[in-house]
Amino acid sequence: MSEKQKQVEKERRGVLELLLQKNGLNRKELVDFLLSVWMAGKVDELTEQEKAQFPNLVF
């Protein structure tokens, strides 16, 4: 990785940390939220039988 790429990546991490701090989040909370959004967008790929395996969730 070039020095320029390393610097860009360092700055990206810095922006992420700053945004997380400003929004009162940590990385795990962000990842959990994004996973929930992704799953909600993909739930239509499950069959009724597959959905039945998760009786406590509303689809």
Side-chain angles (χ1 to χ4, degrees):
M1 185 180 287
S2 73
E3 286 304 314
K4 177 71 173 173
Q5 289 171 316
K6 288 179 185 177
Q7 186 62 32
V8 167
E9 191 57 33
K10 180 180 177 182
E11 290 179 11
R12 285 175 38 105
R13 285 190 306 269
V15 169
L16 173 61
E17 293 303 320
L18 182 57
L19 288 170
L20 288 172
Q21 180 183 17
K22 289 180 73 89
N23 287 278
L25 295 171
N26 60 44
R27 285 175 181 254
K28 183 182 181 332
E29 291 168 330
L30 176 62
V31 169
D32 288 347
F33 171 75
L34 293 172
L35 284 172
S36 295
V37 170
W38 179 77
M39 287 189 307
K42 297 290 187 179
V43 75
D44 60 326
E45 296 178 16
L46 299 176
T47 66
E48 290 302 318
Q49 185 178 14
E50 290 169 331
K51 290 178 185 178
Q53 296 176 51
F54 309 99
N56 295 303
L57 298 179
V58 177
F59 296 103

